[in-house]
C-alpha cells in the first residue's frame, strides 16, 4: 500500500514506479462553530505561508499550503419524540447518508470506513485519494472540539486516520505532501427551535516535483484553491441534502413505528 507515516511525521517521501502514499494520523477533526446567519453555506479559500502549522521544513524548495473552509447554519425540524441526537447514534446509517456509493466504501470496524474518492484533477495530473475515516459521537460536553458550546448535547466528529494517494507516475510525485481535514456537525436548540450547525476545513501542503515546479505561483494557487473548494462544496451538498433528507426519512420511520 505504500509507506505508512505516523502522527510524528508531517510529510511523505514515496518511492517506486507509482505513488502509493499512506499516512496514519490520530488527529480528531477539530471544529469551530460557523457563524452563518442563514441556511446558506459559506466557503472561502486561502493561501498560507510556509510558517503554517502544517508546514514542512525544506531547504531547497518552498512548501505551498492552501486551505478551504465551509460552514453551515440551517433550520432543523425535530418533532416530539424524535431528535437528531438519536439519529446520530446510528453511525452506519449516517455514513451511508453522507457517502451513499457502496462500491467506493468499505467498513473496516465499528466506527471506521475506507473511502475511495473520485479522481481529482490537479493541473494536468489525476490523483485518486483513498482515506480511512472514523465517525464518532461525543456527548455531555466531554472532549468537545474548541468552539463547540458546552451546552450542546451531541457532536458528530469526522476523523481521517489514514490517507493514500494513487495514480501518479514517479516523476510527478510531490517530495512532500500533507493533508489536513477538520470538521464536525451538531444540533443547536433554542426552546422549540433547532438548527444544524457545523464547519469543515480542508488543507493541503506540498512541494512540487521538479518536472512541474516551473508552474507560476498564481496558476498553482488558482488551481489548488479551485480543487479544495470543489471538495468542500461536495461535502456541503452531502450534508445539506443527503444527510438532512435521510433524517427526514428517519422521522417517517419513527412515526410508522409509533
Amino acid at each position: 500500500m505504500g509507506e505508512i507515516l505516523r502522527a510524528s511525521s508531517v510529510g511523505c517521501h514515496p518511492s517506486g514506479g507509482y505513488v502509493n502514499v499512506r499516512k496514519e494520523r490520530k488527529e480528531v477533526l477539530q471544529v469551530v462553530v460557523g457563524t452563518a446567519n442563514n441556511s446558506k453555506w459559506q466557503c472561502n479559500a486561502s493561501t498560507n505561508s510556509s510558517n503554517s502549522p502544517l508546514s514542512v521544513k525544506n531547504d531547497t524548495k518552498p512548501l505551498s499550503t492552501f486551505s478551504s473552509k465551509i460552514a453551515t447554519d440551517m433550520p432543523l425540524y425535530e418533532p416530539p419524540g424524535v431528535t437528531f441526537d438519536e439519529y446520530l447514534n446510528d453511525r452506519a446509517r449516517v455514513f451511508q447518508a453522507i457517502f451513499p456509493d457502496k462500491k467506493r466504501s468499505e467498513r473496516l470496524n465499528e466506527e471506521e470506513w475506507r473511502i475511495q474518492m473520485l479522481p481529482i484533477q490537479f493541473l494536468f495530473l489525476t490523483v485518486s485519494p483513498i482515506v480511512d475515516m472514523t465517525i464518532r459521537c461525543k456527548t455531555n460536553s466531554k472532549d468537545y472540539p474548541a468552539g463547540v458550546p458546552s451546552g450542546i448535547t451531541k457532536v458528530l466528529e469526522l476523523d481521517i486516520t489514514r490517507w493514500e494517494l494513487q495514480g501518479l507516475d514517479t516523476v510527478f510525485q510531490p517530495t512532500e505532501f500533507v493533508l489536513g481535514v477538520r470538521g464536525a456537525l451538531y444540533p443547536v436548540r433554542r426552546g422549540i427551535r433547532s438548527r444544524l450547525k457545523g464547519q469543515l476545513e480542508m488543507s493541503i501542503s506540498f512541494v512540487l516535483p521538479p518536472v512541474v515546479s516551473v508552474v507560476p505561483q498564481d496558476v498553482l494557487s488558482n488551481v489548488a484553491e479551485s480543487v479544495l473548494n470543489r471538495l468542500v462544496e461536495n461535502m456541503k451538498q452531502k450534508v445539506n441534502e443527503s444527510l438532512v433528507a435521510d433524517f427526514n426519512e428517519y422521522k417517517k420511520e419513527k412515526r410508522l413505528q409509533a
Side-chain angles (χ1 to χ4, degrees):
M1 293 290 289
E3 181 182 0
I4 297 178
L5 303 174
R6 302 200 176 274
S8 59
S9 300
V10 290
C12 56
H13 303 270
S15 60
Y18 287 86
V19 172
N20 204 4
V21 182
R22 188 169 185 172
K23 178 170 183 177
E24 182 172 350
R25 55 194 294 169
K26 292 304 294 180
E27 296 178 321
V28 172
L29 306 184
Q30 300 299 307
V31 174
V32 177
V33 182
T35 57
N37 295 320
N38 51 49
S39 61
K40 294 183 178 180
W41 290 71
Q42 301 176 334
C43 182
N44 64 78
S46 63
T47 303
N48 300 324
S49 64
S50 59
N51 60 1
S52 162
L54 287 179
S55 297
V56 179
K57 185 177 180 181
N58 188 286
D59 295 330
T60 58
K61 296 179 182 179
L63 183 74
S64 298
T65 300
F66 306 91
S67 65
S68 184
K69 299 179 181 179
I70 198 165
T72 187
D73 182 352
M74 58 194 304
L76 179 69
Y77 175 63
E78 297 177 297
V82 181
T83 66
F84 195 72
D85 294 20
E86 178 184 338
Y87 169 73
L88 291 179
N89 286 333
D90 191 343
R91 287 173 294 185
R93 177 166 187 160
V94 171
F95 175 85
Q96 289 299 327
I98 301 177
F99 303 99
D101 191 346
K102 295 182 179 180
K103 294 181 180 179
R104 290 183 172 273
S105 64
E106 173 190 0
R107 189 168 189 173
L108 302 178
N109 52 51
E110 183 65 23
E111 61 180 18
E112 191 172 23
W113 286 261
R114 178 162 296 157
I115 307 165
Q116 181 180 351
M117 300 174 63
L118 293 173
I120 298 173
Q121 290 291 133
F122 186 81
L123 298 173
F124 51 86
L125 307 175
T126 300
V127 182
S128 298
I130 296 177
V131 299
D132 289 358
M133 177 176 291
T134 299
I135 295 181
R136 296 187 180 94
C137 290
K138 293 188 174 181
T139 59
N140 301 321
S141 301
K142 184 177 181 181
D143 298 325
Y144 278 5
V148 177
S150 59
I152 299 301
T153 54
K154 181 164 290 191
V155 177
L156 177 72
E157 289 186 328
L158 304 179
D159 180 14
I160 293 182
T161 56
R162 298 179 184 86
W163 53 263
E164 179 181 336
L165 299 180
Q166 294 183 339
L168 292 177
D169 191 86
T170 303
V171 296
F172 296 120
Q173 13 176 315
T175 56
E176 302 282 355
F177 185 89
V178 179
L179 172 65
V181 182
R182 301 184 298 172
L185 194 69
Y186 53 90
V188 177
R189 301 179 180 90
R190 297 290 183 270
I192 62 173
R193 299 180 182 275
S194 301
R195 300 190 70 84
L196 184 62
K197 291 190 176 185
Q199 180 168 315
L200 176 73
E201 180 178 1
M202 182 177 296
S203 63
I204 55 173
S205 299
F206 56 84
V207 175
L208 287 176
V211 70
V212 291
S213 60
V214 295
V215 176
Q217 182 63 34
D218 59 338
V219 174
L220 178 63
S221 298
N222 290 337
V223 173
E225 291 169 4
S226 176
V227 169
L228 286 176
N229 282 336
R230 287 200 304 270
L231 290 174
V232 295
E233 284 288 348
N234 181 259
M235 182 62 72
K236 172 207 72 174
Q237 183 178 4
K238 291 177 184 298
V239 172
N240 199 25
E241 298 179 7
S242 302
L243 188 66
V244 174
D246 190 63
F247 177 56
N248 291 333
E249 288 298 316
Y250 177 81
K251 292 185 290 187
K252 294 178 183 178
E253 294 169 9
K254 287 298 181 180
R255 285 199 298 267
L256 293 176
Q257 294 173 7

